[in-house]
């Protein structure tokens, strides 16, 4: 599998990572045994980057990774591990974001304990705390690097100008945001901004929350997933429109002799040598499709054919609902 450097001077990692939110029940029930099977497949296929967070299953995702590392100590040298903190609750149970040094360090300490490691390879501020200047957040993250608890730091769901301000204080090794054929807003400066400073752009949901696969989630399945049931692209009006719009993409993938998910991953990787997609799945079959996509090389004519059937702006509905938009920074 193709490899890239993580950040300006970090380790060499596979061009495909794994989004470990799927080790929790966010997209449906799973088991630790199933998660271990995914990790076994990652080791076999050469997938080396794992992306987790303290809030994924309220620590479950990190615990699963830690249990796997304890069961297979050799896996620690195989995987680079990223995790995140900042999303929390206030005393009344309201969702808030904290970037203060005390909170970030305490949450990282808890993550390190669950993971069973002395340091993570990459630690993100999961959301920007608008009550704290981004320069102070960058300094707080940098302090964790100096203390040896994180080898590098990143930011999630931020704008290009926020990235530039933060990087001026401490090197930002990676920026994470949703990016796929269905969500292309990072092309409005964030992917370019990462390239300018040598940061890795980490693309989550690269298969469009299942729309860019051969087997999109059924309407019935969506109703059992609170996040998607409230998402504007899965409303009674937009869901069938998005299924219809992506039918041509599925047909194109079949004509090219591959799966839709593989083609979606290959397209994402074609957007830059510093782009690292991190699809998440509970299915070994689907994970193998992602791996196949990482091993594909698209020609210019292939990319043109893909964008002819799914041109920028094809998706029906906003990326997030108003409640889901609380936290991420919008673009330009």
């Amino acid at each position: 599998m193709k490899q890239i450097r993580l950040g300006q001077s970090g380790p060499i990692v596979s061009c495909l990572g794994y989004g470990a939110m799927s080790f929790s029940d966010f997209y449906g029930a799973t088991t630790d045994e199933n998660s271990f099977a995914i990790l076994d497949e990652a080791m076999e296929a050469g997938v080396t980057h794992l992306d987790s967070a303290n809030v994924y299953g309220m620590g479950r995702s990190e615990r699963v990774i830690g249990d796997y590392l304890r069961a297979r100590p050799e896996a620690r040298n195989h995987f680079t591990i990223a995790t995140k903190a900042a999303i929390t609750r206030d005393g009344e149970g309201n969702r808030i974001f904290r970037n203060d040094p005390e909170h970030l360090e305490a949450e990282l300490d808890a993550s390190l304990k669950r993971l069973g490691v002395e340091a993570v390879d990459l630690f993100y501020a999961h959301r920007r705390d608008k009550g704290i200047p981004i320069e102070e957040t960058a300094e707080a993250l940098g302090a964790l690097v100096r203390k040896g608890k994180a080898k590098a730091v990143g930011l999630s769901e931020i704008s290009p100008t926020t990235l530039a301000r933060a990087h001026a204080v401490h090197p930002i090794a990676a920026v994470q945001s949703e990016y796929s054929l269905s969500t292309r807003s990072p092309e409005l400066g964030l992917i370019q901004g990462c390239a300018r400073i040598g940061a890795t752009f980490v693309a989550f949901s690269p298969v469009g929350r299942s729309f860019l696969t051969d087997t999109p989630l059924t309407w019935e399945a969506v109703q059992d997933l609170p996040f998607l049931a409230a998402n504007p692209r899965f409303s009674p009006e937009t869901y069938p429109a998005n299924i219809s719009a992506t039918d041509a993409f599925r047909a194109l993938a079949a004509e090219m002799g591959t799966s839709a998910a593989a083609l979606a991953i290959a397209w994402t990787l074609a957007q830059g040598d510093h782009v690292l997609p991190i699809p998440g799945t509970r299915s070994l079959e689907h994970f193998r499709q992602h791996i196949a996509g990482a091993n594909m090389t698209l020609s210019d004519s292939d990319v043109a054919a893909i964008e002819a059937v799914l041109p920028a702006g094809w998706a029906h509905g906003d990326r997030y609902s108003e409640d889901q938009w609380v936290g991420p920074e919008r673009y330009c």
Side-chain angles (χ1 to χ4, degrees):
M1 183 176 293
K2 177 185 173 184
Q3 296 181 319
I4 65 172
R5 185 172 297 281
L6 185 64
Q8 297 86 356
S9 57
I12 300 298
V13 300
S14 57
C15 68
L16 179 76
Y18 178 80
M21 180 183 280
S22 294
F23 291 165
S24 70
D25 291 335
F26 188 83
Y27 286 117
T30 190
T31 65
D32 290 2
E33 291 75 16
N34 191 71
S35 299
F36 275 32
I38 292 286
L39 290 168
D40 285 341
E41 185 70 21
M43 289 192 69
E44 179 69 22
V47 174
T48 66
H49 187 64
L50 302 178
D51 181 274
S52 188
N54 62 342
V55 294
Y56 294 168
M58 302 310 295
R60 179 180 174 184
S61 172
E62 293 174 327
R63 179 189 58 75
V64 167
I65 295 170
D67 288 347
Y68 186 83
L69 297 181
R70 284 182 279 272
R72 294 192 62 177
E74 71 276 16
R76 183 62 187 100
N77 292 327
H78 177 86
F79 290 118
T80 59
I81 300 173
T83 195
K84 318 176 200 71
I87 300 174
T88 188
R89 300 277 178 180
D90 64 17
E92 298 178 351
N94 300 307
R95 187 172 186 260
I96 61 170
F97 312 113
R98 287 183 58 180
N99 289 175
D100 55 281
E102 297 78 12
H103 179 78
L104 292 176
E105 184 166 11
E107 290 301 314
L108 177 54
D109 286 343
S111 293
L112 294 175
K113 185 176 181 179
R114 286 188 290 269
L115 290 163
V117 299
E118 294 183 357
V120 290
D121 299 281
L122 180 61
F123 181 61
Y124 293 92
H126 204 164
R127 292 290 185 272
R128 182 181 176 186
D129 177 351
K130 297 296 180 63
I132 296 178
I134 194 61
E135 290 82 0
E136 293 183 18
T137 298
E139 176 56 34
L141 292 170
L144 297 173
V145 174
R146 292 189 292 273
K147 289 182 178 182
K149 297 182 179 184
K151 297 178 184 178
V153 296
L155 298 168
S156 178
E157 295 272 46
I158 58 159
S159 69
T161 50
T162 295
L163 170 61
R165 288 171 55 195
H167 185 69
V169 174
H170 185 88
I172 301 301
V175 175
Q176 185 171 132
S177 190
E178 183 174 354
Y179 185 53
S180 70
L181 279 160
S182 56
T183 297
R184 298 183 64 171
S185 51
E187 294 173 7
L188 296 175
L190 192 56
I191 290 177
Q192 300 90 329
C194 286
R196 280 195 296 273
I197 66 171
T200 302
F201 178 82
V202 179
F204 70 81
S205 296
V207 296
R209 304 187 190 277
S210 87
F211 282 128
L212 303 174
T213 72
D214 291 330
T215 54
L217 289 168
T218 65
W219 175 252
E220 292 74 20
V222 168
Q223 306 319 300
D224 291 331
L225 301 172
F227 180 87
L228 294 185
N231 186 279
R233 292 186 176 172
F234 291 85
S235 74
E237 296 78 22
T238 59
Y239 173 85
N242 284 321
I243 292 293
S244 178
T246 51
D247 281 343
F249 179 69
R250 280 180 280 279
L252 176 63
E255 289 174 13
M256 295 176 67
T258 190
S259 67
L263 195 58
I265 294 295
W267 178 90
T268 305
L269 286 167
Q271 305 313 301
D273 290 338
H274 65 305
V275 176
L276 172 63
I278 52 166
T281 180
R282 294 167 294 139
S283 164
L284 275 174
E285 178 186 354
H286 293 168
F287 189 37
R288 288 166 182 154
Q289 292 173 5
H290 303 155
I291 292 165
N295 289 319
M296 291 175 62
T297 299
L298 299 180
S299 67
D300 290 344
S301 61
D302 291 333
V303 172
I306 292 166
E307 296 190 0
V309 298
L310 287 182
W314 67 265
H316 297 260
D318 200 353
R319 174 160 83 98
Y320 285 152
S321 68
E322 286 304 312
D323 286 344
Q324 292 164 353
W325 267 120
V326 176
E329 293 189 321
R330 303 196 191 198
Y331 293 81
C332 296

